[in-house]
């Protein structure tokens, strides 16, 4: 990920720090009702998690990105589960300020590199990491983290591939997140535990803010 963070459409946005350094946790948000997007994002930002990945797993994903980008002060909204070059363009047009994919192809990578926003292509093997490093990409999503070898695997990559930095996602929660964050090649982790579906369904934004605050404090 080589592009600097672009200017925000709302005031008082996060600084132009690398995405992996903004917060220890990137919430992975699945929005089924676009009306929930703004209060949900405000709760996460208030809790200290400004970088928010909204997945494209539902029909409301793009509208949620658009609403957060336009209305939530301090949020850095990104798009997750980006799978095609077409989606790259749609997400950036909606206001996404970073892109995350579970894997990558040459076509998808080229579209993300041309998008003008930071991106985290997904990897789960050393060969995929080396291929991205050859293409000038040093920041990546490690997915599915637990199933692909967890902290032991990432620790093994640190010495031979020191330029690679990761945001592990998949099977990570408040118990094992600190183990990942202690690794030298991990900048942040992605997870859903601070946005439980029962809290979102109940529109319990105070609970979500509290869970976000706990997540933000995982790395002092």
């Amino acid at each position: 990920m080589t592009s600097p963070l672009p200017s925000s459409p709302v005031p008082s946005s996060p600084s132009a720090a690398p995405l992996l350094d903004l917060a220890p946790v990137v919430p992975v948000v699945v929005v089924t009702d676009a009306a929930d997007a703004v209060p949900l994002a405000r709760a996460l930002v208030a809790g200290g998690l400004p970088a928010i990945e909204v997945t494209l797993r539902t029909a409301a994903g793009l509208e949620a990105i658009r609403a957060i980008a336009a209305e939530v002060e301090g949020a850095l909204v990104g798009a997750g589960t980006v799978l095609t070059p077409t989606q790259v363009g749609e997400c950036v047009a909606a206001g996404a300020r970073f892109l995350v994919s579970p894997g990558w192809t040459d076509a998808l990578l080229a579209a993300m590199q041309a998008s003008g926003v930071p991106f985290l292509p997904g990897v789960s093997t050393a060969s995929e990491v080396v291929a991205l490093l050859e293409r000038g990409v040093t920041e990546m999503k490690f997915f599915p983290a637990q199933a692909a070898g967890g902290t032991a695997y990432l620790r093994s990559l640190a010495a031979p591939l020191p330029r690679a930095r990761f945001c592990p996602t998949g099977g990570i929660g408040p118990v094992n997140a600190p183990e990942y964050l202690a690794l030298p090649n991990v900048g942040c982790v992605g997870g859903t535990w601070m946005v439980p579906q029962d809290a979102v369904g109940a529109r319990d934004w105070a609970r979500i803010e509290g869970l976000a605050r706990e997540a933000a404090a995982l790395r002092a």
Side-chain angles (χ1 to χ4, degrees), residues 4 11 15 36 47 50 64 66 76 78 91 95 99-100 109 130 133 153 156 163 165 188 201 205 210:
S15 67
D36 292 334
R66 190 174 292 110
L76 185 82
C91 292
L99 306 168
V100 184
L109 184 65
V130 171
L133 291 174
Y153 191 88
S156 296
R163 290 194 298 131
R165 298 182 71 217
C188 62
W205 312 129

Side-chain angles (χ1 to χ4, degrees), residues 22-172:
L22 285 176
V25 179
V26 175
V28 179
V29 177
V30 179
V31 178
T32 57
D33 185 346
D36 292 334
V38 167
L40 173 57
R42 284 176 176 156
L44 292 170
V45 172
L49 300 181
I52 302 168
E53 175 188 338
V54 177
T55 76
L56 301 183
R57 300 176 196 174
T58 70
L62 274 178
E63 185 57 35
I65 291 170
R66 190 174 292 110
I68 295 170
E71 300 181 42
V72 183
E73 182 175 343
L76 185 82
V77 63
T81 324
V82 177
L83 302 176
T84 69
T86 298
Q87 287 180 326
V88 169
E90 292 172 343
C91 292
V92 173
R97 296 181 62 213
F98 65 91
L99 306 168
V100 184
S101 66
W104 64 278
T105 64
D106 285 333
L108 179 58
L109 184 65
M112 290 193 293
Q113 288 177 315
S115 70
V117 302
F119 56 92
L120 295 173
V123 298
S124 61
T125 69
S127 294
E128 292 170 322
V129 175
V130 171
L132 285 177
L133 291 174
E134 284 183 348
R135 291 160 171 80
V137 179
T138 59
E139 296 190 353
M140 313 165 195
K141 171 178 178 174
F142 180 58
F143 176 83
Q146 282 292 94
T151 55
Y153 191 88
L154 286 172
R155 190 178 295 109
S156 296
L157 294 181
L161 301 170
R163 290 194 298 131
R165 298 182 71 217
F166 302 97
C167 175
T169 305
I172 298 177

Side-chain angles (χ1 to χ4, degrees), residues 24 216-220:
L218 285 176
R219 183 173 57 201

